[in-house]
Amino acid sequence: MTTSMTNRVEDDLALISQLYPAGVYSQMVPQQAESSKPRRRRKKNKGGEAGGGGLKKRKLSTEQVNLLELNFGSEHKLESERKDRLASELGLDPRQVAVWFQNRRARWKNKKLEEEYSTLKKAHDAVIVEKCSLESEVLKLKEQLSEAEKDIQRLSERRVDSGSSNSPSSSLSMEAIDPPFLGGYGLEGYDDDVFYTQENNYIHGIEWMTMNLYM
DNA sequence: ACCGCCCTTCCGTTACATCA
DNA sequence: CTGATGTAACGGAAGGGCGG
């Protein structure tokens, strides 16, 4: 929190450094340092010259990187003993080895985060697909239910009609799937979901439908 | 318990190299 | 030449260990 806030301030200062010529800026810094945060600016290193004047190795050789990678693979942390040993093996400054490990840990962390993100995204996508499939199944079942309810309605209406007209269609099979006798009370006490049998036992509509469909 | 010093790690950034 | 990308290096904050 405080770090990022200071960094924002530093960003502003860095921006200032781009807006003003280097010489002007370098003279501005000490003045600002008195009132606010001092900002040390790294020197540009044109022509491979380090700040001190010596030649600066900008890129590590393949052999150096390979050995560093090998060491990083076995242990991400770098104790000072190992750092010194590695540095002398590679002909590098111990500080360079420390910086390399530091940057390598940062890269490793980023890569791990990317992998975790990718894994989570795959899981998320799979859940979304399953959700869609379940939703379409719910829709299908609702349609089936609606059709079944319409059938029940038709059948109960036909039952009422056949009471006066003795239609020839009231065959044996129709008897089997007609709604059970509702007694002398008409449809007034008729519940949408419950049918009463002649024995005054009741079963739910869906169960009744299922029973008749497979009888 | 407190303080100052040193060392290390992490984070954000900068400078530079390399490549398309 | 230029913008994107990778990486070595830096600066600062924070935390732990240790002696005074």
Side-chain angles (χ1 to χ4, degrees):
Chain A
M1 178 63 91
T2 47
T3 305
S4 55
M5 282 176 70
T6 17
N7 282 327
R8 295 289 84 74
V9 174
E10 289 169 9
D11 282 346
D12 293 339
L13 290 171
L15 189 64
I16 290 169
S17 79
Q18 289 173 359
L19 294 175
Y20 291 92
V24 174
Y25 177 70
S26 62
Q27 300 213 339
M28 277 173 67
V29 173
Q31 290 170 3
Q32 290 193 341
E34 307 223 347
S35 56
S36 62
K37 212 151 178 40
R39 163 88 183 178
R40 261 172 282 169
R41 181 116 182 118
R42 220 183 317 167
K43 286 181 182 167
K44 288 201 174 185
N45 185 31
K46 293 218 165 169
E49 292 279 331
L55 266 179
K56 202 177 190 179
K57 261 188 187 172
R58 281 299 307 175
K59 202 155 163 68
L60 303 177
S61 72
T62 313
E63 291 77 23
Q64 286 172 326
V65 171
N66 284 344
L67 188 54
L68 286 166
E69 286 287 356
L70 208 66
N71 272 266
F72 184 80
S74 61
E75 176 65 57
H76 292 191
K77 295 271 178 183
L78 184 67
E79 324 80 57
S80 78
E81 195 181 314
R82 192 157 68 113
K83 176 176 69 184
D84 293 338
R85 183 172 47 78
L86 258 176
S88 68
E89 271 180 58
L90 295 165
L92 294 172
D93 193 286
R95 169 70 186 161
Q96 280 180 291
V97 176
V99 165
W100 187 91
F101 263 74
Q102 196 172 308
N103 288 323
R104 187 65 181 83
R105 276 193 297 269
R107 286 196 290 272
W108 179 79
K109 190 178 174 185
N110 279 339
K111 197 182 170 194
K112 213 175 71 169
L113 279 174
E114 275 175 21
E115 285 170 2
E116 278 175 20
Y117 171 79
S118 159
T119 305
L120 282 173
K121 191 172 185 319
K122 274 182 197 160
H124 173 263
D125 290 349
V127 166
I128 294 296
V129 167
E130 192 186 356
K131 178 176 174 274
C132 287
S133 140
L134 287 171
E135 279 173 352
S136 83
E137 196 180 337
V138 164
L139 275 180
K140 230 186 313 180
L141 289 170
K142 277 183 176 171
E143 274 172 30
Q144 282 182 22
L145 180 62
S146 162
E147 285 302 312
E149 282 170 349
K150 279 182 204 158
D151 283 349
I152 291 167
Q153 183 64 26
R154 269 200 302 275
L155 289 169
S156 63
E157 281 167 2
R158 195 181 304 173
R159 173 68 184 161
V160 170
D161 291 347
S162 68
S164 58
S165 71
N166 247 351
S167 99
S169 64
S170 62
S171 60
L172 198 64
S173 62
M174 279 308 292
E175 287 291 333
I177 60 166
D178 271 355
F181 178 61
L182 293 172
Y185 306 105
L187 291 173
E188 284 169 21
Y190 171 69
D191 184 279
D192 210 24
D193 219 24
V194 179
F195 294 115
Y196 290 88
T197 61
Q198 282 167 323
E199 294 83 15
N200 280 343
N201 295 326
Y202 62 86
I203 52 177
H204 279 86
I206 291 293
E207 288 168 355
W208 174 83
M209 285 257 313
T210 318
M211 280 168 60
N212 282 291
L213 280 169
Y214 294 103
M215 268 173 71

